[in-house]
Amino acid sequence: VAPSAMWWGSDFAINCNNPYMSDDIGTKLCGSDYGTDRIVPTYIGYRPVAEPAQGRIGDMHYSDFRVTGGVRGDIAEGISYDVNVLHWSTDFNFLYKNDIDQNRAAAALLAVDDGSGNVVCMDSSYGSCVPADVFGYGKLSAQALDFLYGTTFTNTQVSQSVYSGVISSDLTSYGVVSPWAETGVGFVIGAEYRKDGTQTRYDEVLIQANNTPVPPSTIKAFEVFAELEVPVIEDKPFFESLTFNAGYRISDYKASQEGIAETSDYSAHTYKMELDWSPIPDVRFRASYNHALRAPNIGELFGAVGLGNVSGQDPCSGATPTASLAICKLTGVTDAMYGNISECPADVCVARSGGNVGLKPEEADTYTVGVVLTPEFLPGLTLTADYYDIKITGYIDSIDATSIMNQCVQGNEYFCKLFHRAPGSGILFGTEGWIESSLQNSGFLRTKGFDIGGTYSFDTESAGSFTANLNGTYMTSWEKEEIVGLPTFDCAGLFGPGCGQPAPKWRHNARVTWTDPWGIGSLSLAWRHIGATTLTFNEDDQFLGGDKYNVNDRIDAYNYIDLSGSAPLNDNIDVRFGINNLFDKSAPAIAAGLLAEFGNGNTYPGVYSVMGRNIFVGLTANF
């Protein structure tokens, strides 16, 4: 990426007798003290883009290990067991090269004449210090850059061990059968123990930049579960089949971190009920209710807390702030600061984010009802339609910095309290000023809509077989309550701050596959459709609206075509090949200030294809 820089907000100072300064610059910085040994605090924003500057390089190395095994067999007629063990671990080393060490930069900026016409560093704590000339374009020497550049190191270790066992049974042979059915009751009982571990270490440079290491941390989970399936009616008028299914799970979680007392200990109960009814062979109705839970994972609980750049602009900065003095005072601005706070450089402020040991599990209630059609008059055709209503309470999320700023300007005191201004200057960048954006249990998410699917297959005598399928989702609403008690807003069909990555109302995947009659292989053509979305800032909703945008006010619908195929080379080896994004369609370019959650590289890589046309070939061997 672009060359590193000396960032605004760091603790820099310039001596007024710095020989690199021109008279004009010296007078502006030091006034009448120009030429003396006075030292003045100074904001410096300098990116060395001229030669011999070098771009930053991320060197990432993963080492993964995984082993699994199990035993299964029969206990008695209709009763079997399955026991499994799994262990995996990942060791991740990240070297960040050619990053300017801000402490070395501070030393290199204090430059003096040694009396012999040589410019040297005032600070002797770095024996190899080379003074830096930042008062003109391309004046940094190769020697100065060698001194300024550093390599930072991060090591993260993650592991998981799982021990599980189940006993399953079909009780037909034991006579445990409904009086209106021939198939007996089935059940599963089981238990599982999981242990997740993580640790993150930083070098001293990163620690000095307000990055917090993560000591060895663990989550231990023990679960007991049972599931019951009862064929209630079979082969009766208007009851081709009627089946009831229910499940229950008890979970106990304990999370701890080395050096502190146990931080999290809680139990949870989850359960489900399902009903499946076929009045005739061609039609099947299904309905379900599920009370689910998602415990915070180890990264969400103990993830490293640190500072990072976020797109946005401080509403209380500049000579004429966009926010009133009354609003800005809620964020920590004093009367003297108002109108004198420096703007975030290049519309990039700083946010503090990371794990939160106080997180509790998310809980969800899911309701679905649907129908499956398999008409006998058209063999090979299956049509499905399901309505869903899912509500997650206490969902784990971080509020993006842009939304925090926007909500504060509109007078919401809760969001104004998330500003942490640098003492004295009031800025929201550097190492002392930031927006608090760590994970928390938010209000709720609720989404409703329809899942629609269809598959049709048929064979021909001379041209092979064909299969066409489509799976799509129409989202009617995506209601969001960021903070308990605040009004909700609907993110369906929107993208941007407040809602995050694009949430189109309609999206689908469709595929047509041809299998040749000679046994050579198959070809597939897929169509991925992502519906259009509009920008949150242009909405009238007070919790979404902001500065109006004409550019990026809408992301049009996107369509990707993929081509793939497979063929057997012999009885043991198959080859697969394909081209994703066949027509090399580029991802939408989004202004950095509009990218919210999961936005990166001026687009949303989790939604759109960022690699362009992608050609792949692979082999699978079985012996």
Side-chain angles (χ1 to χ4, degrees), residues 211-224:
N211 292 287
T212 305
V214 178
S217 308
T218 60
I219 296 179
K220 298 177 182 178
F222 180 72
E223 297 182 325
V224 178

Side-chain angles (χ1 to χ4, degrees), residues 343-483:
E343 295 178 343
C344 296
D347 288 337
V348 176
C349 298
V350 168
R352 189 175 74 164
S353 59
N356 179 358
V357 297
L359 292 174
K360 300 300 181 184
E362 301 174 337
E363 295 192 39
D365 290 293
T366 299
Y367 300 87
T368 65
V369 59
V371 61
V372 180
L373 303 177
T374 53
E376 290 185 354
F377 65 84
L378 194 56
L381 176 65
T382 300
L383 300 174
T384 65
D386 292 274
Y387 171 77
Y388 61 85
D389 182 344
I390 306 169
K391 183 177 181 180
I392 304 173
T393 57
Y395 74 97
I396 298 170
D397 196 12
S398 60
I399 306 174
D400 65 88
T402 305
S403 293
I404 291 172
M405 295 178 188
N406 184 44
Q407 292 303 311
C408 177
V409 169
Q410 297 189 41
N412 191 305
E413 294 188 24
Y414 175 88
F415 294 94
C416 294
K417 293 177 181 178
L418 299 178
F419 286 63
H420 183 281
R421 296 192 174 275
S425 64
I427 59 174
L428 290 178
F429 54 92
T431 59
E432 295 187 324
W434 61 78
I435 299 289
E436 184 59 57
S437 187
S438 294
L439 292 170
Q440 60 180 301
N441 286 103
S442 304
F444 71 80
L445 291 175
R446 186 176 187 180
T447 182
K448 302 177 184 178
F450 297 88
D451 286 335
I452 299 171
T455 300
Y456 182 50
S457 302
F458 64 92
D459 297 322
T460 65
E461 292 184 2
S462 58
S465 62
F466 295 85
T467 299
N469 61 65
L470 180 145
N471 289 290
T473 295
Y474 181 76
M475 183 167 55
T476 58
S477 68
W478 181 23
E479 191 179 4
K480 189 173 183 179
E481 180 191 60
E482 285 193 316
I483 302 297

Side-chain angles (χ1 to χ4, degrees), residues 121-133:
C121 297
M122 290 176 57
D123 189 346
S124 60
S125 60
Y126 292 98
S128 59
C129 180
V130 178
D133 183 357

Side-chain angles (χ1 to χ4, degrees), residues 512-534:
V512 175
T513 300
W514 169 66
T515 302
D516 75 278
W518 312 286
I520 296 177
S522 63
L523 286 174
S524 294
L525 194 66
W527 170 26
R528 291 178 284 145
H529 174 82
I530 303 167
T533 53
T534 56

Side-chain angles (χ1 to χ4, degrees), residues 534-554:
T534 56
L535 178 62
T536 53
F537 276 172
N538 292 347
E539 295 293 299
D540 293 331
D541 191 303
Q542 64 168 326
F543 284 89
L544 292 177
D547 295 333
K548 304 301 180 184
Y549 280 74
N550 290 321
V551 176
N552 291 148
D553 62 333
R554 172 185 170 89

Side-chain angles (χ1 to χ4, degrees), residues 89-100:
S89 63
T90 296
D91 189 83
F92 170 53
N93 292 321
F94 179 42
L95 292 175
Y96 197 41
K97 302 177 180 180
N98 297 339
D99 193 26
I100 289 182

Side-chain angles (χ1 to χ4, degrees), residues 282-324:
D282 299 30
V283 180
R284 180 163 63 93
F285 296 99
R286 55 192 181 189
S288 69
Y289 165 71
N290 194 320
H291 179 75
L293 174 145
R294 188 186 77 83
N297 61 45
I298 199 161
E300 291 168 333
L301 284 172
F302 301 118
V305 177
L307 303 180
N309 293 335
V310 292
S311 299
Q313 190 51 264
D314 181 1
C316 299
S317 64
T320 56
T322 57
S324 66

Side-chain angles (χ1 to χ4, degrees), residues 543-583:
F543 284 89
L544 292 177
D547 295 333
K548 304 301 180 184
Y549 280 74
N550 290 321
V551 176
N552 291 148
D553 62 333
R554 172 185 170 89
I555 301 178
D556 290 331
Y558 264 65
N559 296 285
Y560 295 105
I561 303 299
D562 305 326
L563 179 66
S564 62
S566 64
L569 296 182
N570 55 40
D571 291 340
N572 303 107
I573 300 176
D574 293 323
V575 61
R576 61 188 186 280
F577 53 88
I579 306 174
N580 292 327
N581 193 0
L582 182 64
F583 299 108

